[in-house]
Amino acid sequence: MSILNADLHSHSVVSDGTLTPEALAARAAANGVELWSLTDHDEIGGQHRALAAARAHGMKYLTGTEISVSFAGQTVHIVGLGFDVDDEEMHRGLVTVRGGRDARAREMAEGLAKVGIKDAYEGALKYVSNPELVSRTHFARFLVESGVCRDTYDVFGRFLTEGKPGYVEHKWATLRDAVRWITRAGGMAVIAHPARYRFTPNEEYALFTEFKAHGGSGVEVVTGSHTQAEYVVYAEAAREYALAASRGSDFHSPEESRTDLGALPFLPGALTPVWEALAARIL
Ligand code: AMP
Ligand code: MN
Ligand code: MN
Ligand code: MN
């Protein structure tokens, strides 16, 4: 099996993307993706549609999700690939993670109201397709459309990150639970976009070692959220921690995303791609 163009990180309207699973599959196929995964945040409701659409376009498919985890005072994302979508424990776990989102969104709106932005909860909901999955991205779209901010990056910087008026501390899944749900369902746990966290070297070491101790075995190296210099840093980390390497655009929307589906450099040759370890799980 010699797959090069694997895109194992993307979002649909089932979480905070703007395209349907079908439209994403068509776009991925048009961009030459050979192996695809839809990895909606804390949600696997789009998996059957994604698989059917992948098949219709002749692409191979790995089941996927991106689980929100709280670790050392920050939010870390763990991508799960190749798990059984009917696994009960995984289902229950994701229901719990999603459960806190609505209350969080209402609290975010209260924070925004204090700086004069009215009805942000209702505003964000207009962009939400899955009522269990209100995310900061939906608030960002509302703030752009209503003219408060220039683009979504501007929104995050001014309103939705730590210390800003619309930011709410939140308790997500534990690292241990997220990795266990994925691996017990037959899948592989992968640390998403490691360069995006603001960990000290000690905290990052703790993340990687605890992740491995819980059974995690992959890390994203080439992702739309990394710079070229960061590819090199995390290629080295993959070797150092003996983790398989993943590649994914983290595509959300044609209007907002800087990296299109499948449009990334290939993985450095010296690394073991996650899809080799997951060969038996490819659909
Ligand atoms: P949430 O899961 O509600 O905390 O929302 C997280 C999502 O917001 C991420 O998956 C990204 O899609 C988006 N996001 C986070 N930080 C930024 C940022 N600085 N700029 C643009 N989008 C961001
Ligand atoms: Mn997102
Ligand atoms: Mn993420
Ligand atoms: Mn993502």
Side-chain angles (χ1 to χ4, degrees):
M1 183 185 49
S2 64
I3 292 169
L4 283 174
N5 199 345
D7 192 327
L8 304 179
H9 192 148
S10 58
H11 298 273
S12 76
V13 291
V14 175
S15 63
D16 62 347
T18 62
L19 300 184
T20 60
E22 291 77 15
L24 280 173
R27 194 176 178 101
N31 289 353
V33 172
E34 300 157 87
L35 171 66
W36 175 51
S37 183
L38 173 66
T39 54
D40 279 311
H41 295 286
D42 309 324
E43 174 65 278
I44 55 179
Q47 293 302 305
H48 289 292
R49 287 170 65 185
L51 171 60
R55 287 206 166 133
H57 290 281
M59 285 185 296
K60 295 183 167 69
Y61 189 76
L62 276 167
T63 59
T65 186
E66 182 178 18
I67 305 180
S68 312
V69 160
S70 297
F71 185 87
Q74 293 186 50
T75 300
V76 165
H77 286 168
I78 300 296
V79 164
L81 297 171
F83 52 84
D84 170 8
V85 288
D86 296 319
D87 185 83
E88 282 297 326
E89 198 185 0
M90 172 80 119
H91 268 268
R92 279 196 301 272
L94 293 182
V95 166
T96 324
V97 183
R98 290 197 298 273
R101 280 187 177 268
D102 189 67
R104 170 194 188 232
R106 291 173 193 274
E107 231 185 291
M108 286 170 62
E110 284 170 26
L112 292 170
K114 286 185 186 139
V115 294
I117 298 164
K118 300 264 178 290
D119 303 322
Y121 176 75
E122 294 74 16
L125 277 193
K126 279 189 252 161
Y127 299 89
V128 171
S129 317
N130 175 357
E132 287 181 48
L133 220 116
V134 196
S135 90
R136 286 186 288 162
T137 314
H138 300 111
F139 280 86
R141 291 190 184 127
F142 165 67
L143 291 181
V144 172
E145 293 297 316
S146 56
V148 177
C149 294
R150 176 167 24 94
D151 55 32
T152 53
Y153 293 94
D154 184 31
V155 183
F156 276 88
R158 284 167 61 195
F159 294 105
L160 300 182
T161 42
E162 211 174 331
K164 300 294 153 62
Y167 186 78
V168 171
E169 271 310 315
H170 193 73
K171 200 157 164 280
W172 301 107
T174 63
L175 180 64
R176 178 174 183 270
D177 281 347
V179 172
R180 274 162 53 121
W181 296 333
I182 296 163
T183 53
R184 286 187 178 199
M188 178 189 274
V190 177
I191 299 174
H193 42 63
R196 292 280 64 78
Y197 313 123
R198 298 200 180 152
F199 288 131
T200 63
N202 279 342
E203 288 168 337
E204 187 179 76
Y205 176 79
L207 171 66
F208 276 73
T209 50
E210 288 181 35
F211 171 75
K212 281 202 69 162
H214 295 314
S217 54
V219 61
E220 285 186 344
V221 172
V222 176
T223 136
S225 316
H226 283 179
T227 63
Q228 299 222 14
E230 288 163 347
Y231 299 160
V232 178
V233 171
Y234 288 95
E236 188 48 47
R239 274 192 294 269
E240 187 182 331
Y241 292 99
L243 294 168
S246 195
R247 173 181 188 267
S249 58
D250 206 355
F251 183 80
H252 283 71
S253 156
E255 287 76 35
E256 297 162 14
S257 295
R258 286 175 294 191
T259 308
D260 206 340
L261 286 154
L264 289 162
F266 297 137
L267 279 183
L271 302 179
T272 306
V274 292
W275 52 91
E276 273 181 19
L278 284 166
R281 310 291 303 175
I282 293 177
L283 300 169

